[in-house]
Amino acid sequence: MEAARQIEYYTIEDIYALPDGQRAELIDGQIYMIAAPSMVHQRIVMELSYQIKDYIRSHNGDCEVFPAPFAVFLNADDKTYVEPDISVICDNNKLNDKGCNGAPDWIIEIVSPSSRSMDFYKKLLKYRTAGVREYWIVDYEKKQIMVYNFESDEMTYYTFDDKVKVSIYENFEINFHEIKLE
């Protein structure tokens, strides 16, 4: 009779022990390697980060925007560590030199072929249950943006021809038609 196979769980210490330059995320004790982003992915991250930072600054806001790599420790345990493409944190008490302890207010993930199931399933559930207020999934291959407003329990589809309203701010929208993809 064969012995039951023991499931191995990893911790944040295992993430810190990875070789320099190797990036990974940890969700519920399972490690998921992160592939290098494409040029289009990085263009979108930079453009969105710039627009968000500019809006916050022009409105004397207290929130801060952090593009990846930026550590987010979603839960009060050592089994979940993520690096969202863009994190917006409005509670400065959550920030320290290591990253963000707790849920950011707004997270944006830019879908890449290797991250599709993570962004649409695993992370969606983790972000919702951790207390993220707003979650955007930007799929540049399909030219779609899925906006999850967890506070009002709504999900809205947009295209890259639309202006997308930011729920956590009163008068802020991002015009995806103006974002250069190529």
Side-chain angles (χ1 to χ4, degrees):
M1 182 177 206
E2 198 172 311
R5 194 173 135 200
Q6 190 169 355
I7 298 172
E8 189 168 359
Y9 289 99
Y10 297 94
T11 68
I12 291 168
E13 292 305 316
D14 294 305
I15 294 291
Y16 289 150
L18 291 172
D20 284 346
Q22 191 170 18
R23 292 180 46 220
E25 293 179 307
L26 180 70
I27 297 178
D28 297 328
Q30 296 300 306
I31 290 181
Y32 300 91
M33 303 311 288
I34 299 174
S38 70
M39 183 176 62
V40 173
H41 180 281
Q42 290 302 89
R43 277 188 179 142
I44 295 170
V45 168
M46 290 302 298
E47 182 62 31
L48 293 176
S49 296
Y50 173 80
Q51 287 188 39
I52 296 164
K53 179 73 174 174
D54 188 52
Y55 178 86
I56 293 168
R57 182 178 291 137
S58 67
H59 289 80
N60 298 314
D62 292 328
C63 302
E64 292 192 60
V65 58
F66 296 94
F70 180 73
V72 173
F73 306 92
L74 279 178
N75 305 323
D77 64 25
D78 65 348
K79 293 187 177 23
T80 301
Y81 164 101
V82 292
E83 293 185 3
D85 289 317
I86 300 172
S87 300
V88 178
I89 297 110
C90 300
D91 180 355
N92 288 327
N93 293 321
K94 291 182 179 180
L95 298 171
N96 64 28
D97 282 344
K98 290 188 175 190
C100 176
N101 293 298
D105 293 86
W106 178 19
I107 289 178
I108 300 173
E109 294 285 7
I110 314 303
V111 175
S112 59
S114 64
S115 74
R116 186 168 293 282
S117 68
M118 286 289 290
D119 295 337
F120 280 99
Y121 301 106
K122 285 188 188 305
K123 287 185 176 181
L124 173 66
L125 180 61
K126 290 306 288 184
Y127 293 160
R128 181 184 187 106
T129 59
V132 172
R133 295 167 55 198
E134 185 166 355
Y135 176 42
W136 289 18
I137 302 173
V138 178
D139 187 339
Y140 60 86
E141 285 184 354
K142 294 184 177 182
K143 296 192 176 24
Q144 293 179 338
I145 305 98
M146 280 64 64
V147 174
Y148 295 88
N149 180 339
F150 295 137
E151 291 180 313
S152 63
D153 201 27
E154 295 176 342
M155 193 277 291
T156 309
Y157 277 99
Y158 295 92
T159 72
F160 272 50
D161 292 324
D162 296 324
K163 291 180 180 177
V164 180
K165 169 85 175 82
V166 179
S167 299
I168 68 166
Y169 293 111
E170 184 125 347
N171 298 325
F172 182 29
E173 59 185 19
I174 294 176
N175 187 349
F176 272 80
H177 187 70
E178 295 175 352
I179 294 177
K180 178 183 173 188
L181 297 178
E182 298 172 17

